[in-house]
Amino acid sequence: MVARISTAFDAVASLKAISAAEESLDKVLSWVADGAVAAVADADAVSITVLEPPVARTVAYTDEKLLPLDEKQYTSRRGPCLEAADTRQAVRAAMASHQQRWPEFVAAARDGGVRATLSIPLIIASPTGGPDHELVGSLNAYSTTTGEFDLVDEALLALYTDAAGQAISSARRWQYMRDTVARLEEAMTARADIEQAKGALRVVNACTADKAFALLVERSQRENVKLRHIARRVLEELTRTPPQE
């Protein structure tokens, strides 16, 4: 018992390095999955499921053999990982006794040598503080060695998942900030291109700024291409056009 608790706490402690790292969300999720294997003694592999209505997907895993098992749950729309995410309650399942509950998943798990699973709900708040971007899913442990995870395993993995949630939350905020900066930079570049294209069209057509902008909008609608891309095309075309004698 002491050894199990010590191993789990070591796994939790390793999350501190993840929280401090400015890494992509995908990489942090992969690190979390790797650490979860160490958190529970009988966990041979781990996957992380995220609900993205109307579908669910596996965003990280430690063994690619888990992918068909997760996918079987997604296609049948039932299984321990989905139940944990939907009910926000831990789900322990023994493949020897849950065939009627999730027949498709249990059959696939048995074929893959999996004897037991443990799914812990994973709830991560939105980086913007709103409800629309809440990350909901589950952290799923698979075992080929034990017939059933016990309450101690559940408590230890829940402890790890709670700590992992903080690391994932930090990664989401960091990625949100980077994406926001990238969008702002793109918007500033697009605006600059549009203004340059307007200026060039004013000179070529001897027209007002409003008329030049209207020409850009009209072409954008006609070609069904975003305005910023039309502006770049105009600039490229005018650059390639040789000056008239």
Side-chain angles (χ1 to χ4, degrees):
M1 177 68 74
V2 174
R4 292 168 67 182
I5 294 175
S6 177
T7 299
F9 271 87
D10 286 344
V12 170
S14 70
L15 292 171
K16 292 181 180 179
I18 298 178
S19 298
E22 294 179 346
E23 296 289 351
S24 68
L25 180 58
D26 287 345
K27 190 166 186 177
V28 168
L29 288 167
S30 180
W31 284 348
V32 166
D34 289 339
V37 175
V40 178
D42 290 318
D44 298 308
V46 164
S47 72
I48 297 177
T49 293
V50 168
L51 301 185
E52 293 182 334
V55 298
R57 67 187 182 98
T58 300
V59 295
Y61 56 89
T62 61
D63 188 337
E64 64 181 10
K65 293 178 182 178
L66 297 179
L67 296 178
L69 301 184
D70 285 356
E71 189 61 33
K72 185 64 69 173
Q73 297 179 73
Y74 307 153
T75 55
S76 66
R77 298 193 175 184
R78 55 182 173 182
C81 74
L82 294 181
E83 186 168 315
D86 287 336
T87 64
R88 305 196 178 194
Q89 299 289 327
V91 177
R92 289 183 291 125
M95 299 306 101
S97 58
H98 286 83
Q99 185 169 4
Q100 293 183 344
R101 190 174 180 183
W102 310 304
E104 302 89 354
F105 169 71
V106 171
R110 287 177 175 176
D111 289 343
V114 172
R115 301 178 61 198
T117 66
L118 169 59
S119 293
I120 303 294
L122 182 66
I123 314 297
I124 310 297
S126 164
T128 61
D132 294 340
H133 296 91
E134 182 182 54
L135 182 69
V136 179
S138 60
L139 191 152
N140 317 296
Y142 290 81
S143 180
T144 59
T145 53
T146 186
E148 185 175 9
F149 288 104
D150 60 24
L151 287 172
V152 174
D153 293 324
E154 180 181 319
L156 293 177
L157 191 58
L159 175 68
Y160 176 85
T161 302
D162 183 61
Q166 298 177 36
I168 296 171
S169 181
S170 296
R172 290 191 83 203
R173 286 195 299 270
W174 177 245
Q175 182 163 304
Y176 177 80
M177 291 172 60
R178 285 188 296 183
D179 291 345
T180 299
V181 170
R183 287 194 297 270
L184 289 173
E185 290 177 342
E186 182 179 0
M188 291 174 65
T189 300
R191 182 170 181 175
D193 288 342
I194 292 170
E195 291 300 320
Q196 289 182 49
K198 282 170 54 180
L201 288 174
R202 286 187 65 185
V203 173
V204 172
N205 296 282
C207 62
T208 65
D210 288 342
K211 177 60 177 179
F213 184 69
L215 290 173
L216 288 173
V217 172
E218 188 275 332
R219 181 172 173 180
S220 172
Q221 294 173 342
R222 184 177 68 251
E223 298 182 14
N224 194 28
V225 176
K226 290 183 178 180
L227 188 61
R228 65 177 183 271
H229 297 316
I230 288 296
R232 290 170 187 167
R233 286 185 185 179
V234 167
L235 291 172
E236 290 171 357
E237 290 166 1
L238 293 176
T239 301
R240 290 196 302 266
T241 302
Q244 296 182 353
E245 297 293 338

